[in-house]
Amino acid sequence: MPLMGLLCGCNAIPIEEERASDPLNSTRSAVIVGTVNWSSTNSLTEGYPIYNAGKVGYLDIPARATRCTAWLASTDIVITNNHCIADAAQAAGAQVAFNYNDGVSSASYVWYNCSTFLETWPEYDMTALRCGPRNGLTPGQAQGGWLHISTTDAVNNQELYVIHQNCDYYTDAWCSPTKKFSPGRVTHANLTQTDVAYDADTLGGSSGSPVFSSFHHVVALHHLGYGGNSQGRGSYNSGVKASFLRAALYEIGVGWECGNGTCDPNEANDGSCPYDCTALCQAKCSDGVTCCGADGSCPDGLSCW
């Protein structure tokens, strides 16, 4: 049976309305697989999912009157989908809030100007934007680091989770697309040459979100839903594999900052970095700068990678 992929995670609704979906675009979005199985990230109580959730944000795209999800790949670079932002004109005015969470009022959202268009890779449905500092801090500094991209691709039946900005607007059209945690498993590790498929729930607006392995590293860039119906329910979702993300990001210097003496967490001393960080320190804390202690300890609020 041929696959019917329906692409678009952006929703043409102004941010101030806090409405999550344009019904006309609902069948072009990612999908809920079966019943809704996600929760507010506020319900996370411990461990790496909390750390990772802080690096994921609501991407407002005023040039297109749309929204997507974006995540930190370095101290000032966020990643989203090419179908969310494809060029510099579409990036104009783009901003990201990493605290667009349940219980946070709209007046308290902290927005970073992420309108500097760096690069896009249509073949991977990926775009990189640079964010300016706020109060003298880059978003990575303010959020305590950035996300680590897996050095291996996902395998069949592997547990994973997606962190994204959304809500079930099919049951509540005026819900607020706050940060969600969607657990799932890999259903097809090689759906296509570039994509892995999984059953974790997403909807339009989740596009650009990171998919995490059970080791809490980014194992895919979410971008597609398959078999969506008029209620946003479908068969499975898919994302671009980590190996393609890493190769693309190396082109813009992400993942091999170790040459300046600050081992990027994406550089795993695995031979993929043009420079060897091993002599600088064996492991870095999750801020990407501080060396872990010999006992694996890090300053308060940081974890050893």
Side-chain angles (χ1 to χ4, degrees):
M1 178 180 295
L3 297 176
M4 295 180 63
L6 302 174
L7 181 152
C8 184
C10 303
N11 298 294
I13 298 298
I15 183 174
E16 59 269 18
E17 291 187 14
E18 291 193 357
R19 187 177 180 184
S21 171
D22 176 353
L24 296 178
N25 288 338
S26 63
T27 58
R28 301 175 59 237
S29 304
V31 296
I32 300 292
V33 181
T35 58
V36 178
N37 182 24
W38 65 35
S39 58
S40 168
T41 56
N42 287 7
S43 67
L44 298 174
T45 58
E46 61 183 358
Y48 278 109
I50 292 178
Y51 168 80
N52 287 336
K55 316 304 180 290
V56 181
Y58 181 117
L59 172 61
D60 174 39
I61 313 170
R64 299 189 59 211
T66 65
R67 70 172 179 88
C68 281
T69 300
W71 49 276
L72 283 165
S74 78
T75 190
D76 63 350
I77 294 174
V78 292
I79 301 302
T80 191
N81 284 153
N82 167 272
H83 77 257
C84 296
I85 293 179
D87 53 38
Q90 293 181 3
Q95 56 181 355
V96 177
F98 296 95
N99 69 331
Y100 204 110
N101 299 343
D102 287 321
V104 178
S105 68
S106 58
S108 298
Y109 297 149
V110 177
W111 293 102
Y112 288 86
N113 182 335
C114 299
S115 60
T116 300
F117 181 82
L118 291 180
E119 185 63 78
T120 193
W121 299 266
E123 67 273 31
Y124 305 138
D125 197 13
M126 179 168 73
T127 291
L129 306 171
R130 173 159 278 130
C131 305
R134 181 185 171 98
N135 298 326
L137 298 176
T138 65
Q141 291 171 323
Q143 299 305 119
W146 48 92
L147 299 182
H148 186 122
I149 300 176
S150 177
T151 57
T152 58
D153 289 331
V155 297
N156 284 327
N157 206 40
Q158 180 179 359
E159 291 184 353
L160 50 72
Y161 59 94
V162 182
I163 294 178
H164 54 117
Q165 299 283 160
N166 232 316
C167 59
D168 188 5
Y169 42 79
Y170 288 94
T171 58
D172 179 3
W174 295 97
C175 62
S176 182
T178 53
K179 200 174 296 185
K180 297 297 192 295
F181 173 90
S182 293
R185 288 183 178 273
V186 175
T187 58
H188 200 311
N190 293 292
L191 178 68
T192 67
Q193 180 181 1
T194 60
D195 276 32
V196 56
Y198 37 87
D199 59 8
D201 290 337
T202 61
L203 282 177
S206 302
S207 284
S209 55
V211 182
F212 296 95
S213 71
S214 55
F215 295 104
H216 310 294
H217 297 163
V218 178
V219 76
L221 171 65
H222 172 72
H223 73 137
L224 275 170
Y226 289 80
N229 63 21
S230 61
Q231 294 301 306
R233 273 56 179 170
S235 303
Y236 50 89
N237 292 294
S238 76
V240 179
K241 301 173 186 176
S243 55
F244 294 98
L245 307 183
R246 288 175 65 90
L249 290 174
Y250 286 155
E251 297 175 9
I252 59 172
V254 174
W256 48 278
E257 297 174 9
C258 50
N260 63 13
T262 59
C263 296
D264 187 305
N266 291 328
E267 199 282 312
N269 298 326
D270 60 358
S272 58
C273 179
Y275 304 95
D276 183 7
C277 286
T278 305
L280 300 176
C281 69
Q282 292 297 321
K284 286 287 183 175
C285 297
S286 52
D287 62 355
V289 177
T290 308
C291 282
C292 299
D295 60 353
S297 62
C298 282
D300 289 347
L302 300 177
S303 302
C304 186
W305 287 73

